[in-house]
Amino acid sequence: MLLQLENTDKDNIDKLLAFAKQNHLQLSIIDDVENNIHLPGKPLSPEELTKLIEKSRASGMITMENAHQIIRDKYNAG
C-alpha cells in the first residue's frame, strides 16, 4: 500500500513511524531510497481509463481475460 501524506512535518512522520513500530506495522520511507521506484509500462490514457471504468461499472467487474489483455497491450507482450 502506498500512502501520500500531505501538510505534515518531520515530527508527525516520526509519530507515525513510532505508532507503526509499536503496533508491529512495517512502514518504509521510499523517498529516502536512491533508486526511483516505478511501475514498468505506460500508464493508461484518459480514454482507456474511462473505457475500463465504464466496462467495470456496466458489468460489475472486469474479467481476468480483459485485464490480462490490457496488461499485455501495455507491455507490448502481444
Side-chain angles (χ1 to χ4, degrees), residues 26-72:
Q26 183 178 357
L27 295 180
S28 301
I29 300 173
I30 60 172
D31 286 346
D32 289 346
V33 178
E34 290 185 17
N35 298 335
N36 287 329
I37 298 173
H38 61 88
L39 298 174
K42 299 179 287 186
L44 293 174
S45 71
E47 295 82 18
E48 291 170 320
L49 184 57
T50 299
K51 186 176 179 181
L52 189 63
I53 291 169
E54 287 173 351
K55 279 186 176 181
S56 68
R57 287 183 180 164
S59 69
M61 60 187 230
I62 300 171
T63 66
M64 190 63 79
E65 182 178 310
N66 191 352
H68 284 175
Q69 188 59 49
I70 292 167
I71 292 168
R72 283 188 204 104

Side-chain angles (χ1 to χ4, degrees), residues 12 17 20 23 46 55:
N12 287 337
L17 293 174
N23 291 282
K55 279 186 176 181

